[in-house]
Amino acid sequence: DNVTCLIGNGVVLSPDASFQELDELEARGIPASERIGISEACPLILPYHSALDQPRAIARGKQAIGTTGRGIGPGYEDKVSRRGIRLADLKDLEKFREKLAGVMEYHNFVLKNYFKQDEVDYQTVLDGVMPYRDKLLSLIADVPGIIDRYRKEGKSVMFEGAQGTLL
C-alpha cells in the first residue's frame, strides 16, 4: 500500500501496454494509477515503432537478435537521436501534432523505401494516442525530485534495470 512506482526518462513507454497493465491491476482492486508517476521526459513507443521493429528483424535474417517486435529498439533509437515523442510533448496539442507528423514522415520514408512496407497512417496514430492523452498527462511527476525527497527522508528506494531484477 505504501509503494510509489516511478518511471524515469530512461524508459521508453508504450501507452497501450501501460494502460493495459494498469487496467488489469485496477480490476483486481489495486489502485495502480494512484501510485505511479512518470517523468515528462519519458519517450513514448508509438505504432510506427513496432511497424519498424518487425521488418528490421526479418531483414537481419540469421543475425536477428530476437526482439519482441513491440518497438522498444526503435523507440530507444528515437530517444537517442532526439527525434522521439516524449510525454511532455502531449501538453501542447498543436506542437505534438507537428512533431508527430515530422517523426512519422521520417519513419514512413524508411518503411516504404528501405523495407518496402506500407506506411503507417498519421491520423490512425494520432487517434490512437488521444484517448490516453489526459490520463498520461495526469501521471506526470517530478521523478528526480521525488527520489531526492525520499532519499533525504531516509526512505527506501529500489531501482529496476532493463530486464527486471535479478535476471
Side-chain angles (χ1 to χ4, degrees):
D1 287 340
N2 49 350
V3 172
T4 302
C5 298
L6 301 171
I7 299 175
N9 73 342
V11 174
V12 291
L13 182 84
S14 165
D16 289 332
S18 297
F19 287 115
Q20 178 181 347
E21 290 177 18
L22 285 171
D23 291 345
E24 288 172 6
L25 289 167
E26 290 177 350
R28 295 191 315 198
I30 301 167
S33 293
E34 297 171 16
R35 299 180 187 169
I36 191 167
I38 305 172
S39 169
E40 69 177 10
C42 188
L44 300 179
I45 297 174
L46 295 172
Y48 51 86
H49 290 120
S50 57
L52 285 163
D53 207 0
Q54 296 161 5
R56 280 186 183 169
I58 293 167
R60 291 192 75 171
K62 291 181 181 181
Q63 270 109 34
I65 60 173
T67 72
T68 62
R70 290 189 251 167
I72 296 166
Y76 276 111
E77 286 178 32
D78 274 359
K79 173 186 172 29
V80 171
S81 70
R82 298 181 178 163
R83 77 174 148 254
I85 304 289
R86 294 182 179 266
L87 183 53
D89 293 324
L90 293 172
K91 290 178 178 180
D92 183 327
L93 200 50
E94 195 54 42
K95 285 184 182 177
F96 168 71
R97 286 181 175 125
E98 290 173 19
K99 188 170 183 179
L100 180 65
V103 172
M104 289 192 65
E105 181 180 352
Y106 173 83
H107 288 306
N108 276 332
F109 179 87
V110 173
L111 279 167
K112 180 180 177 184
N113 295 297
Y114 185 75
F115 291 117
K116 309 298 184 213
Q117 298 291 312
D118 292 335
E119 294 182 2
V120 177
D121 181 65
Y122 167 82
Q123 194 62 49
T124 302
V125 173
L126 181 64
D127 291 347
V129 172
M130 287 301 101
Y132 298 122
R133 180 175 176 257
D134 289 340
K135 184 138 185 183
L136 281 167
L137 291 174
S138 75
L139 298 176
I140 288 177
D142 175 15
V143 172
I146 293 169
I147 293 170
D148 186 50
R149 187 177 83 239
Y150 287 175
R151 182 190 59 80
K152 288 176 180 172
E153 294 172 358
K155 292 184 177 181
S156 297
V157 177
M158 180 182 80
F159 291 90
E160 184 173 329
Q163 298 296 321
T165 303
L166 304 176
L167 232 163

